[in-house]
Amino acid sequence: MGSVTRNKWYKYVFLKRYGPLARYLPKTRMMSLHSFRALLGKYGHVIVKPVWGSRGRGVIQVSKLGHHKYGIHYENRQKVKRGKKNTYRYLRKKIGSTPYMVQKRITRPTIDNRPFDMRVIVQRKRHSSHWVVTGKVIKVAGKGYIVSNNTRSKGQLHKFKSGIRKSSIRHLSVSDLESKIDKVSIRSAKRLGALFPHHRIYGMDIATNQKGRVAIIETNLYPAMSHFRKLNDRELYNRIMSYKRG
Ligand SMILES: Nc1ncnc2c1ncn2[C@@H]1O[C@H](COP(=O)(O)OP(=O)(O)O)[C@@H](O)[C@H]1O
Ligand SMILES: [Mg+2]
C-alpha cells in the first residue's frame, strides 16, 4: 500500500538511525495505546498524524491539561477528554485502522500569536552531487489551526528573514538560524540520497522552538511550488524552477 517516498514512518526511521541527524528528529512512534501514553506522559503535548498523510490532513494535537484532562485540537476545533485511555479510545474511533504515528510536539515560535514552521527546498542539478538550499519560506498557521499547511489552515507565508524579524524569535541571529537550518536540510537531502539516488529535489518541513533549536518535522519528495509562487517576490520561485530544469 502506497510508496516508500510518501511513508513518513519509513523516512523518519531512516533519518533517525543516522547519527549526525538523530538529534533533529523529534521522538516518534507508531500510534498505540502504549506509545501514546508514553509520549504524552513524557512531553505533555503530542502530534498524532497519519503515516501516509499530506497537506495537513488528519493531523491532531493532544495536550495534557492537568486534573486528568486532555485537550484535542483538530482542524480549527478543540475538545476536552478525561483520562489518557479514554482520550486514546476517542482518537482510535476517529482514525479507525488508518496507520498513524505519535510524535513529540515542537513548541514553535509565533508571528501574531500563531505558530509557524518552515518549508526548505533543497535541490541538486542533473549530474551534480552538490546540494543547495534554493528556497525557504515561513508558513504561519491560520487562525485556530495547529498545522501550518497554507491551503488547509488559510495561513500566511513570509520570506525567511522578514518573517523571523516579525516573530517571537526576532532576538535570535537570523544568519545563525539560517545556517543551522540550511545545514540540517542539506544533510537530510544527502542522507535521503542513499534511499532515492536519482532524486534531485526535497522539501523539508523544519520547525524551531523558541530558543531556535532546529527539528525536522518531515521530508517531502514532491514539494509543492505554490508556496513560492504565492510570494510577491518571484526570485525564489524562479531559482527553484531553473534548478529543476538544470
Ligand atoms: N511534531 C510537530 N510539532 C509541531 N507541529 C507539527 C508537528 N508535526 C506536524 N506539525 C504541524 O503540522 C503540519 C503537518 O504535518 P506534517 O508532518 O508536515 O504532515 P503533512 O504531510 O500533512 O504536511 C506541519 O507542517 C506542522 O505545521
Ligand atoms: Mg508537511
Side-chain angles (χ1 to χ4, degrees):
M1 186 187 101
S3 73
V4 158
T5 58
R6 293 188 192 276
N7 184 327
K8 287 191 194 347
W9 175 246
Y10 191 89
K11 288 182 283 183
Y12 165 79
V13 170
F14 184 75
L15 294 177
K16 187 74 172 175
R17 284 183 183 158
Y18 180 57
L21 286 177
R23 67 195 181 99
Y24 300 107
L25 291 143
K27 187 164 178 162
T28 309
R29 292 286 178 269
M30 284 301 289
M31 178 72 163
S32 68
L33 174 59
H34 179 77
S35 63
F36 176 74
R37 266 187 166 150
L39 269 67
L40 187 53
K42 181 159 187 195
Y43 301 115
H45 302 266
V46 293
I47 299 287
V48 174
K49 60 185 169 186
V51 170
W52 303 97
S54 69
R55 301 172 179 194
R57 180 171 37 88
V59 176
I60 306 165
Q61 176 176 276
V62 183
S63 305
K64 198 170 168 171
L65 303 176
H67 304 287
H68 304 287
K69 289 193 168 133
Y70 296 89
I72 297 175
H73 196 148
Y74 175 62
E75 300 280 338
N76 54 351
R77 297 188 296 276
Q78 301 191 53
K79 266 191 172 31
V80 176
K81 294 278 157 194
R82 211 187 147 72
K84 264 204 202 99
K85 194 167 181 178
N86 187 40
T87 304
Y88 178 81
R89 278 203 211 98
Y90 171 82
L91 292 171
R92 253 305 150 213
K93 232 180 253 162
K94 204 172 173 65
I95 70 187
S97 57
T98 311
Y100 257 75
M101 340 191 276
V102 52
Q103 183 170 73
K104 175 188 176 184
R105 198 274 313 256
I106 305 299
T107 309
R108 295 163 291 172
T110 56
I111 293 176
D112 296 333
N113 284 320
R114 297 179 191 170
F116 71 87
D117 41 77
M118 295 149 222
R119 169 54 59 85
V120 182
I121 302 291
V122 187
Q123 290 175 279
R124 65 175 177 84
K125 291 196 167 163
R126 226 180 292 279
H127 313 303
S128 168
S129 56
H130 183 60
W131 289 95
V132 180
V133 171
T134 48
K136 200 155 46 265
V137 69
I138 287 190
K139 304 185 287 177
V140 188
K143 185 175 163 60
Y145 283 81
I146 289 305
V147 302
S148 66
N149 304 73
N150 191 251
T151 308
R152 176 169 306 274
S153 80
K154 299 166 278 293
Q156 292 215 328
L157 300 169
H158 296 280
K159 289 178 73 178
F160 182 73
K161 281 191 182 127
S162 56
I164 296 296
R165 288 203 189 105
K166 285 196 247 295
S167 78
S168 62
I169 51 170
R170 62 180 163 264
H171 56 282
L172 299 178
S173 151
V174 179
S175 57
D176 284 0
L177 195 61
E178 180 163 36
S179 68
K180 270 198 291 187
I181 291 167
D182 289 3
K183 213 173 82 190
V184 168
S185 301
I186 287 171
R187 276 211 168 157
S188 304
K190 285 185 177 157
R191 183 60 188 155
L192 288 167
L195 273 183
F196 312 110
H198 304 295
H199 213 72
R200 298 203 286 122
I201 183 167
Y202 294 97
M204 315 303 181
D205 283 338
I206 303 288
T208 78
N209 66 9
Q210 184 59 27
K211 290 180 178 159
R213 209 191 138 178
V214 174
I216 303 166
I217 300 284
E218 68 150 348
T219 56
N220 295 283
L221 272 76
Y222 305 102
M225 292 299 109
S226 54
H227 300 110
F228 299 93
R229 215 166 34 226
K230 286 176 188 169
L231 291 175
N232 290 328
D233 182 345
R234 286 295 181 100
E235 187 192 335
L236 297 178
Y237 179 73
N238 292 335
R239 185 155 173 233
I240 293 166
M241 295 316 277
S242 113
Y243 253 82
K244 277 195 170 190
R245 287 189 298 270

